[in-house]
């Protein structure tokens, strides 16, 4: 059974509880927050107690990204799709009438492309928005700022409806007599996000069990038997489990990817080489290799061990090291920084998003990918993946290559050829 931590704004919890009430074989641990400062605290408290995190929105995700250097546990955030958004607007227009220019929609920003409203409405027809930049929301007093924004426009008689994604401001707005609509992802969207998260968790577990080989060598004429004794001391002291092969003058260590990540603090510092260097009074280096087979892992380990100094990890895509503090990652076959910056400006996607897309293509082993595959590798919903692909297509960085129809049933799927 998977354990999922649900990191959510306090007033959003009921919506998620309803959507997950009938999902079996998953234990949901609800972690509600009332203030933005509690988000990273809750994450760090439960980081090693859950298999993954379901985040109630992009705001929760953004606060974590801003405050933590590394988010190691699989996580996805709930997103309001354009379909959900326009369906809600249609329902309002049908029942009460709707003058969009007299509404506040406080979550429209450049990052979500204003939910497409800029393409279909003139400037005079558009709703009031809080800010164009999502970074303006990343403040501890964001709730107070949003409430003040809504109240000021209502007091001036400029609006008839406030629409918000921030559930923690809803009660206060309503208590002031403000007609408020809280917009939250549909149950189908929430369940879709959970499926994406489960795929991500399963993929990580497979990766953590992948075989890793370490190729260890020293600078002095020390017998391997002495080195092996100290490696066993390291195992016992820190709770690791290795297979050790004496291939004099080198040693081969076999472990798992999960143990390697832990032992190297996510590839920043090799605690084994440090321990052995201190105990043996000689400079020890370890070349670590991962791969799809034991042979490939061994070849990568030997290549990593031939680096000039320090300990390195060679994966299928990266050479990481030397592991002496913060890592340096050498990406192979990826465009240079200036090229990525130009692509970012063209598409409106961040450099980090583009790098993740490159990594996804590397995993697929092709420059052709579907929205479902991209969603899986990026850890986002299929709707979000479709929006990303649409932005790439509009920037001439992707094109529809072909349409695939499985067993000639259902709607054909678009397949995109990516030029990133």
């Amino acid at each position: 059974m998977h354990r999922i931590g649900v990191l959510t704004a306090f007033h959003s919890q009921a919506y998620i509880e309803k959507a997950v009430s009938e999902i079996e074989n998953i234990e949901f641990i609800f972690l509600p927050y009332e203030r933005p400062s509690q988000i990273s605290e809750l994450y760090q408290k439960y980081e090693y107690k859950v298999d993954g995190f379901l985040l109630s929105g992009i705001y929760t995700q953004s606060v974590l990204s801003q405050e933590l250097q590394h988010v190691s546990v699989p996580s996805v955030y709930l997103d309001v799709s354009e379909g959900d958004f326009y369906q809600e607007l249609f329902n309002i227009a049908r029942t009460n009438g709707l003058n969009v220019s007299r509404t506040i929609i406080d979550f429209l920003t450049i990052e979500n492309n204003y939910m497409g409203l800029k393409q279909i409405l003139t400037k005079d027809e558009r709703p009031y928005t809080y800010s164009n930049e999502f970074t303006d929301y990343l403040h501890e007093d964001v709730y107070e700022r949003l409430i003040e924004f809504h109240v000021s426009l209502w007091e001036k008689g400029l609006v008839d409806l406030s629409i918000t994604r921030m559930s923690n401001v809803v009660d206060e707005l309503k208590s002031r007599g403000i007609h408020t609509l809280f917009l939250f992802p549909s149950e189908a969207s929430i369940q879709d996000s959970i499926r994406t998260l489960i795929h991500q968790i399963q993929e990580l577990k497979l990766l953590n069990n992948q075989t890793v080989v370490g190729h260890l060598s020293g600078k002095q004429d020390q017998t391997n038997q002495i080195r092996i004794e100290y490696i066993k001391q390291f195992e016992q002291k820190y709770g690791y489990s290795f297979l050790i092969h004496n291939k004099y003058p080198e040693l081969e260590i076999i472990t798992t990817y999960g143990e390697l990540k832990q032992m190297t603090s996510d590839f920043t510092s090799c605690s084994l080489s440090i321990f052995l260097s201190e105990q043996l009074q000689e400079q020890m280096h370890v070349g670590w290799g991962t791969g799809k087979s034991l042979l490939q892992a061994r070849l990568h380990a030997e290549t990593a061990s031939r680096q000039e100094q320090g300990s390195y990890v060679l994966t299928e895509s990266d050479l990481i090291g030397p592991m002496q503090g913060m890592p340096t990652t050498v990406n192979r076959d990826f465009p240079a920084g200036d090229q990525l910056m130009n692509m970012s400006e063209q598409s409106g996607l961040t450099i980090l998003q583009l790098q993740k897309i490159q990594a996804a293509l590397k995993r697929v082993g092709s420059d052709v990918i579907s929205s479902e595959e991209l969603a899986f590798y990026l850890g986002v919903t299929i709707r979000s993946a479709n929006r990303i692909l649409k932005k790439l297509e509009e920037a001439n960085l992707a094109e529809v290559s072909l349409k695939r129809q499985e067993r000639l049933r259902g709607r054909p799927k678009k397949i995109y050829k990516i030029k990133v």
Side-chain angles (χ1 to χ4, degrees):
M1 176 180 286
H2 297 300
R3 302 181 79 227
I4 293 178
V6 184
L7 196 48
T8 174
F10 181 80
H11 289 86
S12 299
Q13 180 171 335
Y15 294 86
I16 302 176
E17 284 180 335
K18 183 181 178 183
V20 305
S21 60
E22 297 183 4
I23 296 178
E24 298 178 349
N25 300 320
I26 298 177
E27 179 186 359
F28 292 96
I29 302 171
F30 285 88
L31 309 171
Y33 62 84
E34 295 186 344
R35 303 297 308 173
S37 58
Q38 296 173 316
I39 295 174
S40 60
E41 294 173 6
L42 286 167
Y43 177 89
Q44 291 173 308
K45 183 177 180 180
Y46 286 87
E47 183 177 6
Y48 300 107
K49 299 178 182 178
V50 298
D51 298 309
F53 282 100
L54 182 68
L55 311 178
S56 60
I58 189 173
Y59 180 75
T60 309
Q61 169 72 35
S62 299
V63 171
L64 282 178
S65 300
Q66 182 186 53
E67 296 187 4
L68 302 179
Q69 287 186 340
H70 182 62
V71 178
S72 58
V73 179
S75 63
V76 297
Y77 64 84
L78 301 177
D79 196 15
V80 173
S81 69
E82 288 190 12
D84 291 340
F85 176 69
Y86 285 107
Q87 181 178 343
E88 195 62 47
L89 291 185
F90 175 76
N91 289 336
I92 298 169
R94 184 179 57 181
T95 56
N96 301 317
L98 178 65
N99 182 349
V100 177
S101 67
R102 288 186 59 81
T103 64
I104 299 171
I105 306 180
D106 66 14
F107 55 89
L108 301 181
T109 63
I110 294 173
E111 282 78 6
N112 59 26
N113 194 32
Y114 304 96
M115 301 302 282
L117 286 180
K118 276 199 170 183
Q119 282 76 33
I120 60 177
L121 297 176
T122 66
K123 187 175 181 180
D124 292 336
E125 294 172 328
R126 294 171 192 164
Y128 292 94
T129 58
Y130 175 69
S131 175
N132 290 329
E133 302 292 338
F134 193 77
T135 52
D136 290 338
Y137 293 77
L138 302 179
H139 299 280
E140 178 64 14
D141 61 348
V142 63
Y143 300 144
E144 289 77 12
R145 294 186 186 193
L146 281 172
I147 290 168
E148 182 182 351
F149 171 71
H150 283 268
V151 169
S152 66
L153 290 175
W154 275 82
E155 288 179 344
K156 294 174 183 176
L158 297 174
V159 293
D160 305 314
L161 174 66
S162 286
I163 303 177
T164 185
R165 273 284 281 120
M166 292 287 200
S167 64
N168 285 357
V169 306
V170 173
D171 286 351
E172 179 63 25
L173 292 177
K174 287 184 176 180
S175 72
R176 298 187 184 217
I178 293 176
H179 183 201
T180 305
L181 172 66
F182 171 55
L183 196 60
F184 202 69
S186 65
E187 290 187 21
S189 293
I190 295 173
Q191 292 161 4
D192 188 23
S193 295
I194 292 170
R195 283 190 286 271
T196 298
L197 179 58
I198 294 300
H199 282 306
Q200 197 173 334
I201 291 170
Q202 291 170 339
E203 184 186 43
L204 180 61
K205 286 187 175 181
L206 287 174
L207 179 62
N208 283 339
N209 290 325
Q210 186 182 53
T211 298
V212 167
V213 174
H215 193 84
L216 186 148
S217 59
K219 296 296 184 182
Q220 296 183 14
D221 188 16
Q222 195 85 255
T223 66
N224 271 355
Q225 197 55 47
I226 294 174
R227 291 169 177 158
I228 290 171
E229 288 301 317
Y230 279 110
I231 292 173
K232 290 179 177 179
Q233 285 186 27
F234 177 85
E235 287 182 280
Q236 186 175 8
K237 183 175 181 179
Y238 297 105
Y240 294 107
S241 179
F242 302 145
L243 289 177
I244 307 169
H245 297 153
N246 189 344
K247 296 185 173 182
Y248 188 82
E250 289 84 21
L251 282 170
E252 181 183 84
I253 300 170
I254 298 179
T255 184
T256 64
Y257 187 88
E259 289 212 327
L260 178 63
K261 282 190 70 178
Q262 185 177 357
M263 183 175 22
T264 59
S265 298
D266 288 326
F267 310 134
T268 61
S269 179
C270 184
S271 58
L272 175 61
S273 63
I274 292 172
F275 177 85
L276 294 177
S277 296
E278 290 175 350
Q279 299 299 320
L280 294 168
Q281 298 298 305
E282 65 170 324
Q283 193 65 38
M284 301 296 298
H285 301 300
V286 186
W288 297 101
T290 72
K292 294 179 179 178
S293 65
L294 180 59
L295 175 60
Q296 188 179 46
R298 279 182 168 139
L299 292 172
H300 285 174
E302 291 175 7
T303 301
S305 69
R306 289 197 294 268
Q307 302 304 310
E308 291 184 3
Q309 58 181 359
S311 297
Y312 287 78
V313 179
L314 180 58
T315 70
E316 294 176 68
S317 59
D318 300 317
L319 176 63
I320 306 171
M323 293 185 287
Q324 299 170 339
M326 295 303 293
T328 300
T329 303
V330 182
N331 293 320
R332 297 201 293 261
D333 304 324
F334 284 180
D338 289 345
Q339 193 173 349
L340 275 178
M341 287 180 66
N342 291 335
M343 290 179 179
S344 177
E345 290 176 3
Q346 281 179 258
S347 64
L349 298 173
T350 67
I351 290 177
L352 180 58
Q353 285 177 311
L354 293 171
Q355 289 173 330
K356 287 183 177 180
I357 293 167
Q358 291 169 339
L361 296 175
K362 197 98 174 170
R363 297 295 302 276
V364 173
S366 170
D367 60 355
V368 175
I369 195 168
S370 68
S371 58
E372 290 84 359
E373 291 168 328
L374 186 63
F376 175 77
Y377 286 111
L378 297 190
V380 300
T381 66
I382 293 174
R383 293 178 179 86
S384 295
N386 277 323
R387 284 203 294 271
I388 289 170
L389 289 167
K390 187 66 176 175
K391 286 183 178 181
L392 290 173
E393 186 181 10
E394 290 173 350
N396 293 320
L397 295 174
E399 60 184 22
V400 178
S401 176
L402 54 92
K403 293 186 177 180
R404 179 174 61 199
Q405 193 170 4
E406 297 175 0
R407 299 181 183 178
L408 300 177
R409 294 181 180 179
R411 297 174 62 187
K413 296 180 179 179
K414 285 185 178 181
I415 305 297
Y416 288 83
K417 183 178 179 64
I418 309 296
K419 306 173 187 177
V420 172

